[in-house]
Every structure is written in C-alpha cells, then in structure tokens.
C-alpha cells in the first residue's frame, strides 16, 4: 500500500482496507500493523471504514431498507456514521479511452485480482466495464475503489465525478460518496464530490435511493428515493433539492458532450479547459459575459473555440499559452 500517495488518513485507511483483503495481505501484514500502531487516528479511521463498509452490505441486503423494498418509501437512518466514505476495491474488466472502440474480455477467476483502485489523470475520461454487466465512467482527475462481492459491487468515490451505467446488470450496486450512500439497480446516474464535502447525485434512468451516514443529534435525516432528472445535493447530513442552473442535460459527458442553456462563455470555456491540452483564453472579459445555448463537445477545445468564434464573430489566434478568442 502506497501511504505517501494518499492525501489523508482516511485515504490511507481506505487503501489498507483494500490491501488487507487482497492477495498481498500476508506480505503487507507487518507494515499494516506498524501503520496502526503509529497513530491512534489511524486505528480510529480504519475502524470507521470497516463499520461503514459493513453497514452498506447490511443495508443493501435488508428487506426493510434494501432495493427489494417497496418503491417510494423512505429510509430512516438512526445510527450516526462518520463523514468518511468506505473503501474496498474492484476487479475490473477493462479500461477504455474515449476513442477506444471495444472492451477486452474479463480474465478468468484464477487470474482476476481481488482488488484494484481506479484513477484517471487530468484531462482524461475513462470507462471501466464491470464483469456483472454495466460500466463505471470516471471523469478527469477522479479516483474510486470498488469491491466485487455478494450481493453486488460496492463503489467508493474518493475524488471527482463518476457515472454508473448499471443497465444490463443483474446485481445491485452501492456507492459511497462523501458521507452518503446511494443504492441502485438497473440505473444510470451521476455522482460527484465537491471541495466542500458535498455530494451531487443525478438519476437519469432506473431506480436509486440515497441516505446520509451523518446524522444530527437533534433530528434524524431521512433517506430519499431519487427522481429521474431531479438532482440532489447532500452535505453534512442534509439532502437538498439542487438547482439545474444552466445545465439542460449532461448524461453524455462520458462521450464529451453536454447540453447547456444560457451558459456564460466564461463558464463554458472553464469547463472545456479542464480537458484541454491547449486552453482557450478570452482576451476581453466582456466576451465571457455573453451567453450561449446548445449542445457542446467540451473535450475538444480547438473545435469549440472555432465554433464560438463563428457564432460571436470573434477571431481565434493560436499562441504559446493557448487559443485566444478576441474581437475582430
């Protein structure tokens, strides 16, 4: 387990949780025990990870709270859980880039790894196909660990954004993100973490339930069945109906496409620059204040810059620091 690569005690605990349930457990045992002894916070974080992980397993299989329960009812969580997501890891079928046409076959049971951590570099979207059916898409600079077990995969989102495409999968899937758990079967949904310990969830199809681990001492926050097309924002135990803002449809972001309404050019350019080798530069702030609507390929900065130049009668100049948009 690479302790230096983890940015927090919680990530280290998640990494050790994965390692000690994988094929390297025996050879890493001494290092793991030394890590536990080094700091009481290490032991506390590891215990929290294990507790939340076990709760996700019980919740999903529960007749009262699991996915087999009657739709439309609410989940009431009465135990306070730490605001740290759990981790275990996943065996993966394949990793593909945006231009890759197919998926490699899943290895045999004898060769498949017990656990793996999934991570994407900056500017890159990748799709991981799961052996039980469906796929997991990670946005740029995202990180997740998934564990394949009974009765189905458990995914921990540690950073960034993911889209789960569970269509065609016979198994239920549990996602832990921030201080929340989302359970789904045969659904397509986005889950994203922000810089304020908040989690955004949007269901595009199928069925999913969400509930917070963290509970206030004064009241219990109920879980909620997600409605298709109605995003939720979850933070510190609160479930809030999120506003769409300029977003019309982002379901196709794994392919680099999104539909926006009255989005400021400065915001659209900011989105595109997250994926751009050569960024777009707006020479005049007034250009960025203009708005545009439509369906955009945000991961092709060069085409986007030229399309915007045509729409707004701008000039594109390529320089060392980027593609400059300026008035003619």
């Amino acid at each position: 387990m690479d302790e230096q690569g983890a940015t927090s005690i919680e990530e280290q605990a998640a990494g050790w949780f994965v390692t000690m349930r994988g094929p390297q457990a025996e050879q890493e045992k001494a290092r793991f025990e030394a890590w536990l002894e080094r700091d009481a916070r290490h032991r506390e974080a590891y215990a929290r990870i294990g507790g939340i992980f076990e709760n996700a397993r019980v919740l999903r299989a529960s007749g009262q709270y699991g996915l087999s329960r009657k739709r439309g009812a609410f989940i009431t969580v009465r135990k306070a859980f730490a605001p740290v997501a759990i981790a275990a890891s996943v065996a993966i079928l394949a990793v593909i880039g945006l231009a890759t046409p197919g998926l490699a076959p899943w290895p045999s049971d004898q060769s498949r790894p017990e656990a793996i951590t999934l991570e994407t570099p900056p500017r890159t979207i990748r799709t991981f196909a799961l052996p039980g059916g469906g796929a997991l898409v990670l946005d740029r600079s995202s990180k997740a660990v998934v564990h394949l077990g009974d009765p189905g995969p458990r995914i921990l989102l540690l950073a960034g954004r993911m889209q789960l495409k569970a269509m065609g999968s016979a198994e239920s899937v549990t996602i832990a993100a921030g201080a929340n758990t989302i359970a789904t079967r045969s659904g397509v949904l986005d889950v994203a973490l922000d810089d304020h310990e908040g989690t955004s969830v949007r269901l595009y199809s199928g069925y999913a339930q969400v509930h917070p681990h963290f509970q206030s001492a004064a009241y219990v926050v109920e879980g909620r069945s997600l409605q298709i097309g109605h995003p939720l924002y979850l933070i510190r135990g609160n479930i809030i109906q999120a506003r769409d803002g300029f977003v019309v449809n982002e379901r196709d972001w794994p392919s680099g496409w999104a539909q926006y309404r009255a989005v400021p050019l400065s915001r659209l350019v900011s989105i595109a620059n997250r994926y751009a080798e050569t960024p777009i530069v707006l020479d005049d702030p007034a250009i960025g204040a203009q708005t545009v609507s439509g369906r955009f390929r945000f991961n092709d900065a060069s085409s986007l810059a030229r399309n915007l130049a045509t729409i707004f009668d701008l000039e594109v100049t390529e320089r060392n620091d980027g593609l400059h948009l300026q008035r003619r």
Side-chain angles (χ1 to χ4, degrees), residues 263-276:
V263 58
L265 262 62
S266 59
R267 185 74 177 101
L268 181 59
V269 166
S270 174
I271 294 171
N273 283 346
R274 298 173 186 171
Y275 305 87

Side-chain angles (χ1 to χ4, degrees), residues 13-250:
W16 278 119
F17 191 84
V18 171
T19 299
M20 298 312 293
R21 281 154 181 78
Q24 296 183 327
E26 190 61 33
Q27 68 186 64
E28 292 283 356
K29 184 177 180 181
R31 289 184 61 223
F32 168 62
E33 292 178 347
W35 178 82
L36 285 178
E37 290 297 323
R38 195 152 59 237
D39 195 317
R41 293 175 299 171
H42 294 178
R43 296 188 291 275
E44 293 170 358
Y46 191 82
R48 288 197 297 269
I49 293 290
I52 297 175
F53 181 81
E54 185 60 31
N55 175 71
R57 182 201 304 268
V58 171
L59 177 68
R60 185 177 50 211
S62 167
Q64 182 179 2
Y65 300 120
L67 287 173
S68 61
R69 54 188 286 280
K70 184 178 180 181
R71 296 191 181 189
F74 291 100
I75 303 170
T76 300
V77 182
R78 300 197 177 278
K79 182 175 180 181
F81 296 94
V84 177
I86 53 96
S89 222
V90 91
I92 295 298
L93 182 139
V95 181
I96 61 172
L98 288 175
T100 306
L103 298 173
W106 175 255
S108 66
D109 289 340
Q110 289 75 18
S111 64
R112 86 179 188 183
E114 287 292 329
I116 192 170
T117 299
L118 312 178
E119 192 166 8
T120 52
R123 300 186 297 276
T124 302
I125 300 171
R126 286 181 177 167
T127 298
F128 304 84
L130 303 176
L136 171 65
V137 187
L138 289 184
D139 200 359
R140 52 170 287 280
S141 303
S142 297
K143 184 176 182 180
V145 289
V146 190
H147 180 266
L148 290 181
D150 187 24
R154 294 182 296 277
I155 302 171
L156 167 67
L157 182 63
L158 288 173
R161 176 171 64 162
M162 60 165 279
Q163 183 175 105
L164 176 68
K165 299 179 179 180
M167 304 302 293
S169 173
E171 300 177 313
S172 62
V173 181
T174 299
I175 303 166
N180 311 281
T181 293
I182 304 102
T184 185
R185 180 185 288 123
S186 297
V188 176
L189 72 159
D190 287 345
V191 182
L193 297 174
D194 64 18
D195 296 330
H196 308 288
E197 301 180 358
T199 304
S200 299
V201 184
R202 182 189 291 264
L203 181 68
Y204 295 111
S205 66
Y207 176 67
Q209 301 165 346
V210 60
H211 68 92
H213 294 313
F214 178 81
Q215 296 291 314
S216 167
Y219 59 92
V220 174
V221 178
E222 291 186 328
R224 184 176 300 182
S225 295
L226 293 178
Q227 292 182 319
I228 293 175
H230 295 274
L232 292 179
Y233 183 68
L234 308 101
I235 186 168
R236 301 185 184 92
N238 297 310
I239 301 177
I240 305 167
Q241 189 71 47
R243 294 182 178 179
D244 285 322
F246 55 79
V247 175
V248 176
N249 191 338
E250 284 189 315

Side-chain angles (χ1 to χ4, degrees), residues 258-316:
Q259 185 177 355
Y260 301 131
R261 177 180 54 247
V263 58
L265 262 62
S266 59
R267 185 74 177 101
L268 181 59
V269 166
S270 174
I271 294 171
N273 283 346
R274 298 173 186 171
Y275 305 87
E277 291 282 354
T278 303
I280 300 173
V281 180
L282 300 178
D283 284 352
D284 184 351
I287 297 176
Q290 298 183 79
T291 61
V292 64
S293 299
R295 180 173 162 87
F296 304 93
R297 190 175 185 94
F298 57 78
N299 64 343
D300 187 345
S302 178
S303 295
L304 179 63
R306 285 165 174 75
N307 289 339
L308 292 177
T310 300
I311 294 171
F312 292 96
D313 193 27
L314 303 173
E315 183 178 349
V316 181

